[in-house]
């Protein structure tokens, strides 16, 4: 078995073969006794190598100075904001070009109407049926409504409307954009793109995939490994104020690096309302990045299921430094167990505020779906947070039925940037006369209102399951009450 | 772009056949793709993906109407297994609003088509008449899911309503005369003079023409 030797490569080995040249891994051209016919090749190799070496060094210096060091100390040079402004100018230009292109061909471009394609009638079931019957034949002299053939109109039309355009399914596909952000993944075909725009788009692809992507991957790698290593090391310290202090800063630092790894430009509003110990922080959920965004500005205890693989490693490391609440897969189904552990956590005032996403699944950031009442039953102070992403720079919504986690992260890292706003809302507590569901709805409306999202009654879990029967009954009860109630009146009289 | 050319030809053809405008057709095509999961045809199961539809008591009748050969103008009875985009548009066109530019004759024709769609919804066995059984079936479905309504009361409501319908169509009946069922002409008679146009249509919003995203 041949051992690996860093021997001078010019001597052929005893068996007549050349050893593998280590020239690729060190500066070339400085070895004595080089065989004559290797010289030009070696010179070329050495040129490539030195170029590579220089560019890598430059890259890493840039990384360190402009990105990691500020992240460690929590300061910002404002580079990302400048980047965002430049991008906006470019997008506006691209839009104008497309408009011009379309006008030349005398076509018209359409802005996809994000609020739906049909005008839904706001009249209620009762009003409408009365109206139909009123315009009915003269035989309906008495005003007691009874079943008539016409009643089917209302349901028929409503059915058609939902088939044409339904609120819920729309929320689950990426919000349709109003301007083109030079990403080919916005859904429409290219008809009005001139040569200039194509060149720009090509340049964009080059920049995103060859410059930004490796940079971001390097940063992400740094951030995650620092997190794992840092928290493990902090875990060895004895419990006390010093450990807490270090733990907080290790967490914050690593999340900040991750934020920069995604080029996330975040604006925090009302930071005075940030969650405190013993509280629960609830936010609307659009993507797994939400966690990174919130955790880079505050120190939270995470709640979640134990995963395998890389996530599992991170989770285990994190819990050494400070108490996060991780559940085994089997425990997740047991609602009482979950509730009990969360209650224990919030009652201990020295423990951190819990971060929870009550929608239970990722929604496409145009609306807020039903909050699961579990976290609202615990009885702690709730700190609502609204997160709204600006889709112009990159769509952050994770459509879990379409993309896996890795594909999703790659998409995120090859977008221009992730721009979002975070609003910390004033804390809320459950009032005496409300139950958990009403409290959850109140919090939900507050979040929806602040973030400019539509407040929907629908259950986010509908993406995967079917409608619960209780909802079905409501509509039918209303209708039948109208008919039967009056029928009984009639037969009595 | 060859693909684009043939696509717009198809769109024009569909415009002519169904009366939708090209941007409406494009919107509906996107909706079709969403419902079918990017397949070229839709089956009954695909309608399960519309959660709002679950609320509707006559959901099964509405879905059935999409596959009804009479509505698809492919025959006088029976159900299709799957429908393509053109069929989808054909069914949707029953709910197009009545164009104000149409003349009286066209308006009457439109009205008749809409009423025929409804008639088919009631007449599930394609017998050409709405029998008492079919009528009861519709009422029961409308009132279904409510645990407080007994089948009996649903039946009696249906019977009462059927009697009223019969009196309109046939006038006073002899005690031993049996009412076969409501034919389409009787159905039309019931609705004479009543403005159903505004109730049997879905209004499309105006698309604004600002550049973009194509």
């Amino acid at each position: 078995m041949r051992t690996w030797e860093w021997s001078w490569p010019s001597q052929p080995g005893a068996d007549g073969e050349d050893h593998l040249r280590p020239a690729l891994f060190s500066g070339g051209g400085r070895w004595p006794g080089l065989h004559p016919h290797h010289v030009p090749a070696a010179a070329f190799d050495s040129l490539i190598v030195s170029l590579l070496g220089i560019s890598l060094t430059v890259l890493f210096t840039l990384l360190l100075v402009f990105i990691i060091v500020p992240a460690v100390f929590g300061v910002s040079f404002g580079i990302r904001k400048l980047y965002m402004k430049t991008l906006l100018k470019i997008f506006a230009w691209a839009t104008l070009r497309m408009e011009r292109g379309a006008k030349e061909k005398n076509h018209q471009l359409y802005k996809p109407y994000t609020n739906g394609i049909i005008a839904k009638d706001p009249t209620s079931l009762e009003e409408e049926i009365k109206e139909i019957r009123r315009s009915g034949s003269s035989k309906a002299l008495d005003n007691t409504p009874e079943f008539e053939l016409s009643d089917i109109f209302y349901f028929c039309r409503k059915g058609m409307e939902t088939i044409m355009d339904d609120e819920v399914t729309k929320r689950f596909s990426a919000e349709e954009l109003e301007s083109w952000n030079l990403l080919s993944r916005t859904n429409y075909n290219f008809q009005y793109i001139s040569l200039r725009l194509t060149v720009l788009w090509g340049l964009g692809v080059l920049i995103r995939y060859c410059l930004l992507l490796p940079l971001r991957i390097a940063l992400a790698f740094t951030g995650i490994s620092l997190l794992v290593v840092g928290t493990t090391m902090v875990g060895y310290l004895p419990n006390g104020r010093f450990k807490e202090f270090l733990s907080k800063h290790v967490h914050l630092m690593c999340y900040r690096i991750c934020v920069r790894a995604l080029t996330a430009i975040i604006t925090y509003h009302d930071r005075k309302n940030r969650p405190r110990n013993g509280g629960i922080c609830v936010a609307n959920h659009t993507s797994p990045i939400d966690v990174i965004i919130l955790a880079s500005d505050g120190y939270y205890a995470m709640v979640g299921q134990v995963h395998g693989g890389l996530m599992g490693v991170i989770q285990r490391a994190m819990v050494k430094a400070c108490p996060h609440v991780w559940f085994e897969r089997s425990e997740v189904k047991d609602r009482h167990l979950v509730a009990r552990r969360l209650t224990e956590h919030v009652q201990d005032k020295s423990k951190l505020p819990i971060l929870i996403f009550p929608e239970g699944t990722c929604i496409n950031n145009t609306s807020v779906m039903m909050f699961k009442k579990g976290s609202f039953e615990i009885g702690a102070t709730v700190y609502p947070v609204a997160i709204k992403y600006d889709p112009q720079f990159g769509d952050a919504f994770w459509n879990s039925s379409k993309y896996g986690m890795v594909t999703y992260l790659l998409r995120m890292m090859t977008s221009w940037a992730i721009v979002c706003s975070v609003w910390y809302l004033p804390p809320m507590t459950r009032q005496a006369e409300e139950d958990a569901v009403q409290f959850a709805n109140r919090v939900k409306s507050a979040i929806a209102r602040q973030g400019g999202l539509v407040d929907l009654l629908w259950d986010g879990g509908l993406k995967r399951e079917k409608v619960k029967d209780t909802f079905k009954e409501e509509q039918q009860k209303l209708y039948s009450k109208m008919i039967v109630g009056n029928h009984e009146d009639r037969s009595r009289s | 772009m060859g693909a684009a050319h043939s696509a717009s030809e198809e769109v024009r053809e569909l415009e002519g056949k169904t009366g939708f405008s090209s941007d409406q057709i494009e919107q509906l095509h996107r909706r079709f793709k969403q419902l079918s999961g990017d397949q070229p045809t839709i089956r009954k199961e695909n309608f399960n993906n519309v959660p709002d539809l679950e609320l509707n008591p006559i959901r099964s009748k509405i879905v059935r109407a999409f596959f009804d050969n009479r509505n698809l103008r492919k025959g006088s009875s029976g159900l299709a297994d799957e429908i393509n985009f053109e069929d989808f548009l054909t069914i949707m066109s029953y709910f197009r609003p009545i164009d104000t530019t149409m003349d009286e004759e066209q308006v009457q024709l439109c009205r008749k088509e809409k009423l025929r769609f409804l008639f088919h919804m009631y007449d599930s066995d394609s017998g050409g008449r709405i029998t008492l059984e079919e009528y009861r079936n519709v009422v029961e479905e409308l009132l279904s899911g409510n645990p407080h309504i007994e089948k009996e009361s649903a039946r009696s409501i249906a019977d009462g309503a059927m009697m009223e319908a019969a009196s309109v169509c046939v006038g006073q009946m002899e005690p031993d005369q049996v009412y076969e069922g409501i034919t389409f002409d009787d159905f039309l008679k019931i609705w004479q003079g009543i403005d159903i146009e505004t109730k049997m249509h879905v209004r499309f919003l105006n698309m604004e023409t600002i550049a973009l995203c194509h």
Side-chain angles (χ1 to χ4, degrees):
Chain A
M1 179 136 139
R2 200 157 300 160
T3 50
W4 172 256
E5 302 169 52
W6 285 79
S7 57
W8 300 121
S10 54
Q11 323 286 359
D15 48 7
E17 289 174 12
D18 272 348
H19 288 278
L20 183 64
R21 291 212 236 172
L24 288 170
F25 299 97
S26 55
R30 283 184 271 111
W31 300 330
L34 271 178
H35 210 267
H37 77 253
H38 285 305
V39 170
F44 186 64
D45 278 341
S46 62
L47 187 64
I48 299 272
V49 166
S50 44
L51 272 177
L52 213 66
I54 293 175
S55 49
L56 276 173
T57 326
V58 167
L59 200 70
F60 276 109
T61 321
L62 269 178
L63 222 88
L64 211 65
V65 172
F66 283 108
I67 302 180
I68 297 189
V69 169
V72 170
F73 294 107
V75 297
S76 172
F77 284 141
I79 298 178
R80 282 174 288 155
K81 291 240 153 61
L82 185 65
Y83 171 65
M84 181 170 92
K85 289 203 180 78
T86 323
L87 278 180
L88 276 173
K89 288 210 183 84
I90 298 180
F91 293 164
W93 180 82
T95 312
L96 279 172
R97 300 283 322 175
M98 290 184 81
E99 250 180 340
R100 215 182 298 170
K103 278 213 185 85
E104 277 165 20
K105 298 190 186 163
N106 250 332
H107 287 190
Q108 284 172 333
L109 294 176
Y110 296 98
K111 175 171 101 172
Y113 205 87
T114 48
N115 286 330
I117 54 173
I118 51 181
K120 297 221 174 127
D121 225 340
T123 52
S124 73
L125 173 61
E126 295 185 48
E127 282 169 31
E128 199 159 318
I129 293 198
K130 277 209 194 84
E131 208 188 305
I132 301 180
R133 289 175 176 172
R134 212 181 303 131
S135 69
S137 45
S138 53
K139 66 179 160 75
L141 286 174
D142 43 43
N143 287 327
T144 56
E146 275 213 328
F147 176 75
E148 290 191 18
L149 284 174
S150 56
D151 295 342
I152 205 173
F153 276 138
Y154 174 79
F155 291 111
C156 201
R157 199 182 88 238
K158 277 284 179 237
M160 277 298 167
E161 277 177 356
T162 57
I163 291 179
M164 275 196 196
D165 196 19
D166 112 292
E167 289 283 2
V168 178
T169 322
K170 222 175 349 120
R171 302 299 164 197
F172 290 119
S173 50
E175 185 183 356
E176 296 175 354
L177 278 185
E178 293 180 9
S179 75
W180 189 42
N181 58 358
L182 297 181
L183 292 177
S184 56
R185 48 182 96 115
T186 46
N187 322 341
Y188 306 104
N189 24 355
F190 303 110
Q191 272 178 289
Y192 305 117
I193 300 198
S194 59
L195 182 64
R196 268 195 232 181
L197 268 186
T198 319
V199 167
L200 189 66
W201 173 76
L203 200 65
V205 169
L206 207 68
I207 295 180
R208 279 185 294 124
Y209 280 85
C210 301
L211 180 61
L212 293 179
L213 184 64
L215 190 68
R216 285 175 182 164
I217 293 185
L219 276 174
F221 188 67
T222 318
I224 294 180
S225 26
L226 270 178
L227 183 66
V228 172
V229 168
T231 45
T232 317
M233 279 173 37
V234 170
Y236 287 127
L237 293 173
N239 285 347
R241 298 236 349 234
F242 186 57
K243 179 177 182 182
E244 264 183 56
F245 175 76
L246 262 192
S247 166
K248 175 171 181 179
H249 283 276
V250 164
H251 273 99
L252 281 176
M253 175 183 85
C254 299
Y255 282 119
R256 280 191 211 125
I257 297 180
C258 288
V259 157
R260 281 157 171 81
L262 293 164
T263 318
I265 304 168
I266 312 170
T267 318
Y268 295 101
H269 303 263
D270 298 328
R271 290 180 82 223
K272 59 184 189 298
N273 290 329
R274 271 190 308 170
R276 311 221 176 95
N277 282 8
I280 300 184
C281 176
V282 303
N284 59 317
H285 200 30
T286 305
S287 91
I289 296 177
D290 292 341
V291 177
I292 301 180
I293 288 177
L294 286 180
S296 63
D297 191 48
Y299 189 31
Y300 298 100
M302 309 281 167
V303 175
Q305 210 181 3
V306 170
H307 288 100
L310 180 63
M311 275 299 292
V313 172
I314 300 177
Q315 284 177 326
R316 277 192 292 276
M318 279 168 69
V319 87
K320 288 193 186 126
C322 80
H324 296 287
V325 186
W326 302 127
F327 291 104
E328 298 293 327
R329 187 156 292 189
S330 50
E331 290 175 329
V332 170
K333 300 287 169 129
D334 185 354
R335 278 189 50 219
H336 293 292
L337 178 67
V338 170
R340 196 160 41 96
R341 275 187 70 178
L342 290 178
T343 319
E344 277 168 19
H345 187 106
V346 299
Q347 277 168 352
D348 184 351
K349 289 295 174 208
S350 68
K351 293 208 176 141
L352 305 165
I354 300 183
L355 181 58
I356 282 191
F357 296 100
E359 278 162 312
T361 184
C362 293
I363 312 294
N364 84 343
N365 208 234
T366 54
S367 58
V368 180
M369 294 228 161
M370 193 168 95
F371 278 5
K372 302 223 182 317
K373 62 181 173 143
S375 24
F376 298 92
E377 286 173 330
I378 297 176
T381 319
V382 168
Y383 295 88
V385 176
I387 307 178
K388 176 86 176 123
Y389 289 87
D390 186 346
Q392 269 194 311
F393 292 90
D395 179 24
F397 165 55
W398 182 30
N399 191 343
S400 53
S401 50
K402 235 175 149 185
Y403 308 109
M405 176 65 110
V406 181
T407 323
Y408 171 71
L409 281 176
L410 270 177
R411 274 170 64 97
M412 286 299 101
M413 290 198 178
T414 54
S415 302
W416 291 111
I418 298 188
V419 179
C420 63
S421 291
V422 175
W423 286 273
Y424 290 105
L425 298 168
M428 295 181 164
T429 40
R430 192 167 108 186
Q431 308 292 330
E433 63 284 348
E434 349 179 71
D435 66 354
V437 177
Q438 289 168 328
F439 181 40
N441 283 335
R442 193 159 59 95
V443 172
K444 182 163 72 92
S445 312
I447 292 182
R449 215 180 354 218
Q450 180 63 69
L453 307 164
V454 175
D455 187 1
L456 287 185
L457 195 56
W458 278 102
D459 187 351
L462 274 180
K463 211 165 59 173
R464 286 178 274 271
E465 308 164 11
K466 301 195 65 173
V467 182
K468 292 203 187 67
D469 282 324
T470 40
F471 280 132
K472 262 198 220 175
E473 278 185 32
E474 290 304 312
Q475 188 93 30
Q476 291 165 350
K477 270 199 203 139
L478 180 62
Y479 177 68
S480 31
K481 213 189 303 190
M482 267 182 67
I483 303 234
V484 176
N486 294 305
H487 185 80
E488 279 169 1
D489 285 338
R490 207 153 184 238
S491 55
R492 245 183 275 133
S493 66
Chain B
M1 298 190 202
H5 274 301
S6 61
S8 54
E9 288 256 330
E10 269 179 44
V11 169
R12 260 192 288 271
E13 216 187 288
L14 286 171
E15 259 184 89
K17 272 196 210 163
T18 59
F20 283 112
S21 70
S22 61
D23 50 281
Q24 286 169 345
I25 291 184
E26 241 157 297
Q27 286 282 353
L28 284 172
H29 187 60
R30 242 179 275 146
R31 181 64 178 159
F32 180 84
K33 279 209 290 213
Q34 211 180 35
L35 284 174
S36 71
D38 281 339
Q39 301 295 314
T41 55
I42 289 188
R43 301 173 159 271
K44 283 217 185 112
E45 298 79 56
N46 294 113
F47 285 104
N48 294 341
N49 299 333
V50 184
D52 267 343
L53 197 56
E54 297 288 314
L55 273 192
N56 204 309
I58 51 167
R59 178 192 172 276
S60 58
K61 287 228 182 305
I62 294 177
V63 172
R64 208 163 170 282
F66 272 84
F67 296 88
D68 194 329
N69 277 332
R70 295 171 290 174
N71 292 333
L72 295 170
R73 300 186 192 137
K74 284 189 181 161
S76 57
S77 66
L79 292 176
D81 279 327
E82 51 185 21
I83 51 172
N84 61 19
F85 182 53
E86 194 179 315
D87 298 328
F88 185 72
L89 278 186
T90 312
I91 305 282
M92 289 287 171
S93 66
Y94 287 107
F95 283 82
R96 260 182 53 243
I98 302 234
D99 215 344
T100 39
T101 60
M102 284 197 226
D103 58 18
E104 188 54 36
E105 200 189 300
Q106 281 182 311
V107 169
Q108 281 305 323
L109 209 66
C110 264
R111 213 182 119 92
K112 212 170 170 189
E113 285 304 311
K114 289 180 195 263
L115 283 171
R116 202 191 294 270
F117 183 83
L118 268 188
F119 185 78
H120 291 161
M121 216 181 257
Y122 273 96
D123 181 22
S124 38
D125 66 357
S126 316
R129 286 174 174 279
I130 303 177
T131 61
L132 184 58
E133 268 312 308
E134 287 168 340
Y135 204 105
R136 277 187 189 150
N137 182 277
V138 174
V139 178
E140 269 168 26
E141 256 193 52
L142 277 169
L143 299 176
S144 66
N146 188 330
H148 304 296
I149 303 262
E150 280 144 20
K151 220 159 182 220
E152 275 314 306
S153 27
R155 283 195 146 203
S156 56
I157 294 173
D159 292 350
M162 193 70 165
M163 290 272 286
E164 299 230 22
S167 64
V168 170
C169 307
V170 188
Q172 267 304 80
M173 289 201 297
E174 302 300 310
D176 54 352
Q177 196 180 1
V178 174
Y179 185 50
E180 294 286 325
I182 310 177
T183 61
F184 185 54
D185 291 325
D186 294 340
F187 196 72
L188 284 177
K189 225 192 288 183
I190 298 178
W191 294 113
Q192 214 163 31
I194 300 170
D195 173 33
I196 56 118
E197 285 83 18
T198 50
K199 298 301 161 192
M200 272 283 285
H201 78 263
V202 173
R203 291 185 301 265
F204 277 87
L205 294 169
N206 254 326
M207 302 284 153
E208 294 181 89
T209 59
I210 302 184
L212 232 293
C213 213
H214 222 97

